[in-house]
Amino acid sequence: MKQVLVSSSVFFNHAAIIQDGRLVDYHFELNNKQNVSGNIYKGKVMNILPGMEAAFVDIGLGKNAYLFFDDLLSDKFLQELRIKRKDAKNINKVLKTGDELLVQIVREPIGEKNISVTTDISFTGKYIAFIPNTMGVNLSKKIKDRDERKRLEEIGKSIMADGNGMIIRTFAKGCPREAIEKEYEMLSSIYMQIEREYKYSYAPKLLYKSNSLNERLFLDYIDSTVEEIYVEDKITKDRFKDMISGLSGNDLKNIKVILEQRVFEKFNIENQIKKLLDRKVELKNGGSIIIDMTEALTVIDVNSGKYTGSRNMEETALAIDLEAVEEIARQVKLRNISGIILIDFIDIKKKESIALLKAKAKSLFKDDKTRTNVIGITKLCIMEITRKKNKENFYNLMTEECVHCSGSGRSMSKAFIFMEIEEIIKNIKLNTSSEAVVLNVGCLLYNKIVKSCMDIIAEIEKKYDIKIYIEQDEHILSDEIIAGKMGKLSNIDGIYRI
């Protein structure tokens, strides 16, 4: 059974999609940082960076948005300037400081990266994506039936008006002409209103706000495979019922919208969400995967763990890898891991094994709502995947950089502590006549030293004939060891040695 769970609070809204009780998709949105992806603005070019082939555009959000040259060259933009695409060789040929543009956000701020915008505007409905100023009808590749593709293409061409094209989405399969035409006209009227406001407003200005979390869920995830939608308030329940009843046909009529308090607790979703922060994920067959994320890429290591197989090494490795890639696809979607993804599989040698693993990865990612490309597998059995970055990943949303370790996730080892302390004491011995020294450390390092380092510190004291006192300093948040008060032993009073 496939179910959608929607929960909201004063601080955030989130939604979970579960299949037979297991979390398969998760969406999260802070109330104080509403989703801006898809918003449309009248922006003003503030600066052009020829060396980067990009421009900074003020859209009224504090930080200027980033406009790449390739995202600038929409058909509409070139038509308005009467520039042929072949003549647009660099950004200075088509843009200058002070120009005003109609832009849409395609990527939210991620880490140190700014918001990214495009001039290639689009609106998504349930059946179609409306593409202004493009004389074409494209169809979702997931619609396979040749007769159905021909029928939908003919419908699209017959209703297309004013030079505005469309992409017919998967959900339109079997949909009557009237429903597609009604949605096209609705999206067309939204665009006409945006064009009117653009002409008579000053930049920067928000002209169109993207759909809410619930509306995005309805448009992109709720289909005939969903049996139940659980919500926590009557307003949300009524909204989902209105969206379902507004569709033509009976595909969604049997979906139950159920009002239930604490839906995430009811289905044990909170525990499943917390596990998305774990670095290690156990596999059903006894193997495991380790997920390490950096700013530039994500590395996933596949381990055999307790699984030993029953026949030969090639079959054992392939069985673990196939199990792992299934869980990896799930974790990538749930955690919204994007950018470059490298998966270090257990080595397999046979060409047919490698082809099978690659084919399975492609099939698992083909239904991903975010554009994902399985590039291939290297000779070292490392799979390369790229996934489009459009918003912050789950890990960065739910965690902050540790002030103690500066984001490394690791703290000073005992070996490094001993080396650091001995170096400090050696310098004091060589350059002063001190008989004792107080070393100031943060609370985490203080606890580690007290529990497991005092025996070696005693040896350092004996070697250099200097007494060492360890004092906890709440103002030190890193692994730093600072030499504080020092001098004659009799003068350092009020300090207690651990």
Side-chain angles (χ1 to χ4, degrees):
M1 176 184 284
K2 190 174 182 180
Q3 298 155 307
V4 176
L5 318 178
V6 180
S7 178
S8 60
S9 70
V10 174
F11 186 64
F12 61 86
N13 303 313
H14 55 170
I17 299 171
I18 60 174
Q19 182 78 48
D20 299 324
R22 190 169 187 242
L23 187 66
V24 295
D25 222 324
Y26 177 67
H27 301 272
F28 181 96
E29 184 175 272
L30 296 176
N31 284 340
N32 63 352
K33 185 189 173 185
Q34 291 289 341
N35 176 68
V36 294
S37 184
N39 284 3
I40 297 174
Y41 299 82
K42 183 173 187 177
K44 186 174 183 179
V45 177
M46 304 304 292
N47 192 18
I48 295 176
L49 310 172
M52 299 293 290
E53 289 290 357
F56 282 117
V57 181
D58 181 10
I59 58 174
L61 292 181
K63 273 190 174 183
N64 292 332
Y66 209 62
L67 175 63
F68 291 97
F69 187 44
D70 289 344
D71 289 324
L72 171 67
L73 301 180
S74 68
D75 292 337
K76 176 181 183 295
F77 183 79
L78 293 175
Q79 286 172 12
E80 287 178 348
L81 294 182
R82 296 179 181 177
I83 297 174
K84 294 181 179 179
R85 189 173 290 274
K86 66 179 182 178
D87 296 328
K89 296 179 180 178
N90 58 64
I91 198 164
N92 284 323
K93 293 282 187 182
V94 295
L95 207 62
K96 64 181 184 296
T97 302
D99 282 350
E100 294 182 338
L101 303 168
L102 184 67
V103 294
Q104 185 170 31
I105 293 179
V106 290
R107 188 191 69 200
E108 295 180 3
I110 302 173
E112 298 296 320
K113 295 180 175 67
N114 285 6
I115 287 170
S116 182
V117 296
T118 180
T119 60
D120 196 8
I121 309 299
S122 64
F123 306 90
T124 302
K126 189 69 174 175
Y127 304 119
I128 67 168
F130 180 84
I131 315 294
N133 300 293
T134 54
M135 291 296 293
V137 176
N138 293 309
L139 279 78
S140 167
K141 293 179 181 178
K142 295 175 185 176
I143 301 174
K144 303 294 185 183
D145 185 83
R146 186 176 297 178
D147 292 338
E148 179 63 7
R149 289 183 68 86
K150 184 179 179 181
R151 183 186 77 87
L152 290 172
E153 186 176 9
E154 289 174 353
I155 290 173
K157 287 179 178 179
S158 67
I159 65 176
M160 190 170 58
D162 300 322
N164 298 317
M166 73 190 80
I167 299 172
I168 297 180
R169 306 184 71 200
T170 309
F171 198 80
K173 184 178 179 180
C175 183
R177 172 197 166 94
E178 294 74 19
I180 298 173
E181 185 173 18
K182 179 182 177 182
E183 187 168 85
Y184 180 88
E185 290 172 352
M186 181 267 291
L187 295 174
S188 179
S189 67
I190 291 174
Y191 182 66
M192 289 171 62
Q193 177 63 27
I194 289 171
E195 283 196 312
R196 284 193 293 269
E197 286 192 44
Y198 178 84
K199 289 179 182 178
Y200 300 108
S201 61
Y202 295 97
K205 185 179 180 183
L206 172 65
L207 301 178
Y208 171 80
K209 186 166 179 56
S210 64
N211 294 316
S212 68
L213 175 62
N214 291 340
E215 288 167 332
R216 293 198 308 275
L217 273 175
F218 176 73
L219 293 175
D220 295 334
Y221 294 93
I222 294 176
D223 55 25
S224 58
T225 65
V226 175
E227 295 182 34
E228 297 173 340
I229 302 172
Y230 283 83
V231 300
E232 293 181 336
D233 62 84
K234 190 175 184 302
I235 294 175
T236 305
K237 179 181 180 180
D238 291 343
R239 178 60 182 142
F240 272 110
K241 284 197 164 186
D242 288 344
M243 288 189 286
I244 290 171
S245 63
L247 291 177
S248 300
N250 296 312
D251 282 350
L252 304 184
K253 302 302 182 185
N254 293 326
I255 295 178
K256 298 176 183 177
V257 184
I258 302 166
L259 186 62
E260 179 84 42
Q261 295 302 309
R262 303 168 74 179
V263 295
F264 275 41
E265 184 177 324
K266 176 182 175 69
F267 289 91
N268 194 33
I269 298 302
E270 290 178 349
N271 287 334
Q272 294 190 54
I273 292 171
K274 287 177 183 177
K275 288 183 179 179
L276 299 181
L277 296 173
D278 292 346
R279 180 172 173 259
K280 184 177 182 179
V281 179
E282 301 288 349
L283 302 177
K284 293 178 182 177
N285 62 11
S288 65
I289 60 173
I290 305 293
I291 303 172
D292 287 312
M293 300 176 66
T294 70
E295 181 76 18
L297 56 83
T298 298
V299 178
I300 303 175
D301 186 36
V302 179
N303 297 313
S304 58
K306 299 175 183 178
Y307 184 75
T308 57
S310 57
R311 300 184 67 177
N312 58 58
M313 183 59 195
E314 179 78 10
E315 290 188 12
T316 299
L318 181 60
I320 296 169
D321 288 345
L322 290 172
E323 177 80 22
V325 75
E326 194 167 324
E327 183 60 32
I328 287 168
R330 175 174 173 264
Q331 292 292 329
V332 164
K333 294 172 189 176
L334 287 172
R335 301 182 189 216
N336 193 35
I337 298 172
S338 57
I340 301 168
I341 304 169
L342 301 179
I343 306 170
D344 186 5
F345 286 107
I346 297 172
D347 283 353
I348 47 177
K349 305 297 183 184
K350 294 181 179 179
K351 288 183 179 180
E352 54 267 33
S353 298
I354 294 170
L356 180 61
L357 182 59
K358 185 178 177 181
K360 181 161 187 179
K362 286 189 172 184
S363 69
L364 289 167
F365 283 107
K366 71 178 181 180
D367 293 329
D368 195 347
K369 303 295 182 184
T370 301
R371 189 170 70 243
T372 305
N373 183 24
V374 178
I375 297 171
I377 301 177
T378 70
K379 291 180 180 180
L380 297 176
C381 210
I382 296 174
M383 182 178 286
E384 301 173 76
I385 295 175
T386 60
R387 192 167 186 262
K388 185 180 177 182
K389 291 185 177 182
N390 52 19
K391 60 181 179 179
E392 195 65 89
N393 62 61
F394 177 80
Y395 185 79
N396 287 340
L397 275 174
M398 294 296 184
T399 64
E400 295 178 350
E401 183 176 289
C402 173
V403 294
H404 180 71
C405 68
S406 300
S408 71
R410 302 179 70 86
S411 61
M412 193 185 292
S413 70
K414 287 196 291 183
F416 191 86
I417 293 170
F418 301 146
M419 183 176 70
E420 190 81 358
I421 290 177
E422 185 167 6
E423 188 65 28
I424 291 171
I425 300 304
K426 185 190 294 184
N427 286 332
I428 292 172
K429 183 68 176 179
L430 293 173
N431 296 292
T432 76
S433 58
S434 298
E435 299 172 351
V437 61
V438 178
L439 299 180
N440 297 309
V441 297
C443 61
L444 295 179
L445 189 54
Y446 175 83
N447 291 332
K448 182 182 286 188
I449 290 173
V450 168
K451 288 180 179 179
S452 57
C453 299
M454 294 312 298
D455 53 343
I456 302 297
I457 289 176
E459 291 183 24
I460 295 172
E461 285 180 321
K462 185 177 179 180
K463 179 179 178 179
Y464 295 99
D465 194 25
I466 293 178
K467 286 203 172 182
I468 302 169
Y469 296 85
I470 308 297
E471 187 173 66
Q472 183 174 319
D473 187 335
E474 63 181 12
H475 297 104
I476 299 175
L477 299 176
S478 66
D479 274 342
E480 195 173 8
I481 300 173
I482 300 173
K485 189 175 181 180
M486 66 183 73
K488 289 191 175 296
L489 181 59
S490 58
N491 292 334
I492 302 181
D493 49 8
I495 305 294
Y496 296 93
R497 185 175 178 204
I498 305 302

PDB file of all heavy atoms in Angstrom, residues 87 128 159 193 219 229 282 346 376 395:
ATOM      1  N   ASP A  87      25.071  34.159 -33.145  1.00  0.00           N
ATOM      2  CA  ASP A  87      25.802  35.411 -32.921  1.00  0.00           C
ATOM      3  C   ASP A  87      26.027  35.696 -31.441  1.00  0.00           C
ATOM      4  O   ASP A  87      26.794  36.601 -31.090  1.00  0.00           O
ATOM      5  CB  ASP A  87      25.039  36.589 -33.549  1.00  0.00           C
ATOM      6  CG  ASP A  87      24.955  36.462 -35.069  1.00  0.00           C
ATOM      7  OD1 ASP A  87      25.904  35.908 -35.662  1.00  0.00           O
ATOM      8  OD2 ASP A  87      23.941  36.907 -35.637  1.00  0.00           O
ATOM      9  N   ILE A 128       0.438  18.937 -17.905  1.00  0.00           N
ATOM     10  CA  ILE A 128       1.434  19.524 -18.811  1.00  0.00           C
ATOM     11  C   ILE A 128       2.356  20.477 -18.053  1.00  0.00           C
ATOM     12  O   ILE A 128       2.039  20.937 -16.959  1.00  0.00           O
ATOM     13  CB  ILE A 128       0.769  20.307 -19.965  1.00  0.00           C
ATOM     14  CG1 ILE A 128       0.051  21.561 -19.412  1.00  0.00           C
ATOM     15  CG2 ILE A 128      -0.160  19.432 -20.779  1.00  0.00           C
ATOM     16  CD1 ILE A 128      -0.393  22.540 -20.494  1.00  0.00           C
ATOM     17  N   ILE A 159      -4.352  22.520 -29.392  1.00  0.00           N
ATOM     18  CA  ILE A 159      -4.748  23.518 -28.386  1.00  0.00           C
ATOM     19  C   ILE A 159      -3.693  24.592 -28.178  1.00  0.00           C
ATOM     20  O   ILE A 159      -3.952  25.602 -27.527  1.00  0.00           O
ATOM     21  CB  ILE A 159      -5.056  22.844 -27.024  1.00  0.00           C
ATOM     22  CG1 ILE A 159      -3.801  22.198 -26.437  1.00  0.00           C
ATOM     23  CG2 ILE A 159      -6.176  21.846 -27.161  1.00  0.00           C
ATOM     24  CD1 ILE A 159      -4.020  21.606 -25.055  1.00  0.00           C
ATOM     25  N   GLN A 193      -0.814  37.270 -17.204  1.00  0.00           N
ATOM     26  CA  GLN A 193      -0.825  38.177 -16.065  1.00  0.00           C
ATOM     27  C   GLN A 193       0.599  38.579 -15.673  1.00  0.00           C
ATOM     28  O   GLN A 193       0.874  39.743 -15.366  1.00  0.00           O
ATOM     29  CB  GLN A 193      -1.521  37.504 -14.872  1.00  0.00           C
ATOM     30  CG  GLN A 193      -1.547  38.324 -13.595  1.00  0.00           C
ATOM     31  CD  GLN A 193      -2.327  39.630 -13.725  1.00  0.00           C
ATOM     32  OE1 GLN A 193      -3.252  39.716 -14.548  1.00  0.00           O
ATOM     33  NE2 GLN A 193      -1.957  40.638 -12.952  1.00  0.00           N
ATOM     34  N   LEU A 219       0.958  17.670  -7.579  1.00  0.00           N
ATOM     35  CA  LEU A 219       1.337  17.718  -8.988  1.00  0.00           C
ATOM     36  C   LEU A 219       2.334  16.626  -9.366  1.00  0.00           C
ATOM     37  O   LEU A 219       2.264  16.051 -10.453  1.00  0.00           O
ATOM     38  CB  LEU A 219       1.921  19.088  -9.341  1.00  0.00           C
ATOM     39  CG  LEU A 219       0.965  20.279  -9.284  1.00  0.00           C
ATOM     40  CD1 LEU A 219       1.713  21.570  -9.542  1.00  0.00           C
ATOM     41  CD2 LEU A 219      -0.175  20.112 -10.286  1.00  0.00           C
ATOM     42  N   ILE A 229      -4.156   9.490   1.774  1.00  0.00           N
ATOM     43  CA  ILE A 229      -3.411  10.694   2.145  1.00  0.00           C
ATOM     44  C   ILE A 229      -3.818  11.052   3.570  1.00  0.00           C
ATOM     45  O   ILE A 229      -5.005  11.259   3.853  1.00  0.00           O
ATOM     46  CB  ILE A 229      -3.724  11.882   1.204  1.00  0.00           C
ATOM     47  CG1 ILE A 229      -3.394  11.529  -0.252  1.00  0.00           C
ATOM     48  CG2 ILE A 229      -2.948  13.132   1.637  1.00  0.00           C
ATOM     49  CD1 ILE A 229      -3.855  12.583  -1.245  1.00  0.00           C
ATOM     50  N   GLU A 282      22.708  -0.168   7.097  1.00  0.00           N
ATOM     51  CA  GLU A 282      22.784  -1.625   7.006  1.00  0.00           C
ATOM     52  C   GLU A 282      21.901  -2.128   5.868  1.00  0.00           C
ATOM     53  O   GLU A 282      20.808  -1.617   5.636  1.00  0.00           O
ATOM     54  CB  GLU A 282      22.334  -2.265   8.327  1.00  0.00           C
ATOM     55  CG  GLU A 282      23.150  -1.845   9.547  1.00  0.00           C
ATOM     56  CD  GLU A 282      24.541  -2.441   9.563  1.00  0.00           C
ATOM     57  OE1 GLU A 282      24.808  -3.355   8.742  1.00  0.00           O
ATOM     58  OE2 GLU A 282      25.361  -1.991  10.393  1.00  0.00           O
ATOM     59  N   ILE A 346      31.993  -3.334  -4.388  1.00  0.00           N
ATOM     60  CA  ILE A 346      32.898  -4.467  -4.243  1.00  0.00           C
ATOM     61  C   ILE A 346      33.241  -4.956  -5.651  1.00  0.00           C
ATOM     62  O   ILE A 346      32.364  -5.074  -6.519  1.00  0.00           O
ATOM     63  CB  ILE A 346      32.255  -5.589  -3.416  1.00  0.00           C
ATOM     64  CG1 ILE A 346      31.966  -5.074  -1.991  1.00  0.00           C
ATOM     65  CG2 ILE A 346      33.158  -6.815  -3.353  1.00  0.00           C
ATOM     66  CD1 ILE A 346      31.176  -6.024  -1.142  1.00  0.00           C
ATOM     67  N   GLY A 376      28.729   5.667 -15.745  1.00  0.00           N
ATOM     68  CA  GLY A 376      29.378   4.398 -16.039  1.00  0.00           C
ATOM     69  C   GLY A 376      30.142   3.868 -14.844  1.00  0.00           C
ATOM     70  O   GLY A 376      30.066   4.415 -13.745  1.00  0.00           O
ATOM     71  N   TYR A 395      20.924  16.460   4.867  1.00  0.00           N
ATOM     72  CA  TYR A 395      21.975  16.491   5.897  1.00  0.00           C
ATOM     73  C   TYR A 395      22.320  17.927   6.276  1.00  0.00           C
ATOM     74  O   TYR A 395      22.428  18.270   7.457  1.00  0.00           O
ATOM     75  CB  TYR A 395      23.210  15.764   5.385  1.00  0.00           C
ATOM     76  CG  TYR A 395      24.314  15.639   6.404  1.00  0.00           C
ATOM     77  CD1 TYR A 395      24.257  14.670   7.405  1.00  0.00           C
ATOM     78  CD2 TYR A 395      25.414  16.481   6.372  1.00  0.00           C
ATOM     79  CE1 TYR A 395      25.266  14.555   8.345  1.00  0.00           C
ATOM     80  CE2 TYR A 395      26.429  16.374   7.301  1.00  0.00           C
ATOM     81  CZ  TYR A 395      26.353  15.397   8.286  1.00  0.00           C
ATOM     82  OH  TYR A 395      27.349  15.297   9.215  1.00  0.00           O
TER      83      TYR A 395
END
